[in-house]
Amino acid sequence: MEGKKVSLLQIFGVFAKIGAFTIGGGYAMIPIIQREMSKRGWISDEELPDIVALSQSAPGVMAVNISIFAGYRLRGVAGSIAATLGSVTPSFLIILAIAAFFSAFRDNPLVERAFRGIRPVVVALILVPMVNMAKKACTTWWKWLLAAAALVLVALLNVSPIYILLVVIVLGFSVSYYSGKWKR
Amino acid sequence: METLSLILQLAWTFFLVGAFTFGGGYAMLSLIQTQVVVAHQWLSESAFTDIVAISQMTPGPIGINTATYVGYSVLYEATGLQWMGVVGSAAATLALMLPSFIIVLAIVHFYTKFKDSSLFEGTMGWLRPTVVGLIAAAAVILVVRVAWAGCVPAFSVVRENFVDWKSWLLLGAAFAACYWGKINPILIILAGAVLGLLLY
């Protein structure tokens, strides 16, 4: 990143905020990352789908991978450590508190009622960045087809996303390589 | 001494889990389960189920939550000391993240270096729409459950997430607020929690 250097403490703080509101998994993190990071000019709208795609291509927890990736773009290795520690600290503290003190948390009716309201909201928050990305990424009919194929394979046929990504990487790379040669 | 070797075993187990799960939290859960419940028998099946439920209900990535909770429980059960539980949760959580660190840093290095090459841009042109489909699938899976009877799919609504018709209103309202209203997603989640308390 060019220009003003972002402080590690600031990276930690922003990712702690993102981590505290990521409910249910890495995808739910995307709208909050988009909001918090583009607000500060840390990331361009073009960069976000790249970060998501490449973070998914590595093993492990997706939210952690996204944090490592985004943190590195801001301040290198130190930035990725600050982002990752930031994004896991809230959940770490909350889980420790529950494990140590509130073993009855799950059976608390208030918690269950609040979550009945939160769960459908999370679905909407996953859909919003998807629509925004689709408008930028799906520029031709075959790109829409690619998106639809990925959707069907994962949601209907239970194919693991990693296989889909690997196949698409190989396909995309070969096609770009040969069409590049062709033009020359 | 015994405790130290338990911590090391725990860390090694979660390191392997971190290195070999692709495809998000739910894929990770089954791997953690086979290691922690079946192979090492550190926790009972029912204790593990409770841990997963709580990990889903608390904020944060589900894989991290589960690792933190399992690390705490295993060390606390073995020693009876709460501070050892904290050590266990730190060991499990950090070990889980370590493989990602190494691999993602390699990828991001490559990305930074080749971002502007036409070959990379061409490949990303294929990858970006695919990610759109993957995100759509993540949302669909939270709403619809597919059961296959031979070659015939049967669809049903995921009742844990969509309790009744009010859930659909919440989904629509949240989408409108975020997409057209440009309201901060964090505020929308908090509003969802408050509405859940009021409506149910």
Side-chain angles (χ1 to χ4, degrees):
Chain A
M1 283 271 132
E2 312 290 316
K4 242 187 350 196
K5 238 185 172 186
V6 185
S7 86
L8 292 175
L9 198 66
Q10 206 184 356
I11 296 177
F12 180 89
V14 168
F15 275 86
K17 194 170 161 194
I18 293 168
F21 286 92
T22 300
I23 294 169
Y27 287 110
M29 199 182 196
I30 298 169
I32 307 176
I33 287 195
Q34 187 171 30
R35 172 91 182 193
E36 293 298 321
M37 293 189 72
S38 64
K39 189 168 81 183
R40 293 176 173 79
W42 287 0
I43 195 179
S44 64
D45 280 352
E46 284 73 30
E47 225 173 339
L48 191 70
D50 294 2
I51 291 182
V52 176
L54 296 173
S55 302
Q56 271 241 298
S57 314
V61 180
M62 195 177 125
V64 169
N65 294 357
I66 293 179
S67 308
I68 299 171
F69 204 124
Y72 186 91
R73 300 285 297 150
L74 292 168
R75 276 292 299 273
V77 176
S80 65
I81 293 173
T84 311
L85 290 180
S87 70
V88 301
T89 298
S91 43
F92 189 78
L93 295 179
I94 292 167
I95 291 284
L96 272 189
I98 291 173
F101 305 113
F102 309 109
S103 40
F105 176 80
R106 188 163 75 97
D107 305 319
N108 187 327
L110 283 180
V111 174
E112 175 51 29
R113 273 161 58 199
F115 269 85
R116 284 186 178 184
I118 290 176
R119 288 189 199 112
V121 165
V122 167
V123 175
L125 294 185
I126 294 174
L127 289 173
V128 171
M130 186 214 82
V131 173
N132 288 331
M133 279 186 201
K135 285 196 290 194
K136 288 218 163 87
C138 301
T139 43
T140 58
W141 65 268
W142 63 267
K143 286 183 175 174
W144 280 107
L145 205 66
L146 200 59
L151 166 64
V152 168
L153 284 172
V154 174
L156 253 75
L157 301 171
N158 268 327
V159 178
S160 166
I162 187 66
Y163 296 123
I164 299 170
L165 287 169
L166 286 177
V167 169
V168 170
I169 288 172
V170 171
L171 262 175
F173 187 86
S174 327
V175 170
S176 314
Y177 184 76
Y178 284 108
S179 65
K181 266 192 164 172
W182 219 33
K183 276 178 207 150
R184 253 180 265 139
Chain B
M1 204 54 224
E2 231 171 77
T3 315
L4 184 66
S5 101
L6 182 62
I7 294 172
L8 288 176
Q9 273 185 45
L10 188 74
W12 177 240
T13 303
F14 277 93
F15 180 85
L16 291 179
V17 170
F20 291 101
T21 14
F22 284 96
Y26 290 94
M28 186 169 273
L29 289 185
S30 68
L31 198 56
I32 296 178
Q33 188 182 26
T34 47
Q35 286 298 312
V36 171
V37 180
V38 183
H40 291 288
Q41 302 191 340
W42 283 326
L43 294 173
S44 70
E45 188 71 56
S46 70
F48 186 77
T49 310
D50 281 354
I51 288 177
V52 171
I54 291 168
S55 302
Q56 280 173 313
M57 292 171 73
T58 44
I62 184 163
I64 293 291
N65 292 348
T66 309
T68 306
Y69 210 140
V70 168
Y72 183 91
S73 306
V74 170
L75 263 290
Y76 180 68
E77 302 249 306
T79 61
L81 299 168
Q82 283 198 335
W83 69 269
M84 278 313 283
V86 177
V87 172
S89 56
T93 311
L94 290 175
L96 181 74
M97 300 191 295
L98 196 57
S100 304
F101 237 94
I102 300 162
I103 295 166
V104 176
L105 283 183
I107 294 178
V108 76
H109 180 75
F110 176 84
Y111 174 80
T112 313
K113 216 168 168 184
F114 296 102
K115 195 161 72 98
D116 300 318
S117 84
S118 65
L119 195 56
F120 186 80
E121 201 35 55
T123 311
M124 289 312 293
W126 285 64
L127 216 44
R128 286 182 199 124
T130 311
V131 169
V132 170
L134 294 182
I135 299 177
V140 167
I141 287 168
L142 293 177
V143 182
V144 185
R145 186 169 285 131
V146 186
W148 288 91
C151 297
V152 187
F155 301 97
S156 57
V157 174
V158 179
R159 282 287 156 216
E160 301 92 87
N161 296 341
F162 287 81
V163 188
D164 57 19
W165 57 272
K166 285 175 282 189
S167 309
W168 300 100
L169 285 185
L170 284 168
L171 170 79
F175 186 89
C178 189
Y179 188 73
W180 289 291
K182 306 268 182 247
I183 293 170
N184 190 329
I186 292 175
L187 291 179
I188 299 176
I189 290 176
L190 291 175
V194 172
L195 284 171
L197 287 173
L198 294 174
L199 291 173
Y200 294 104

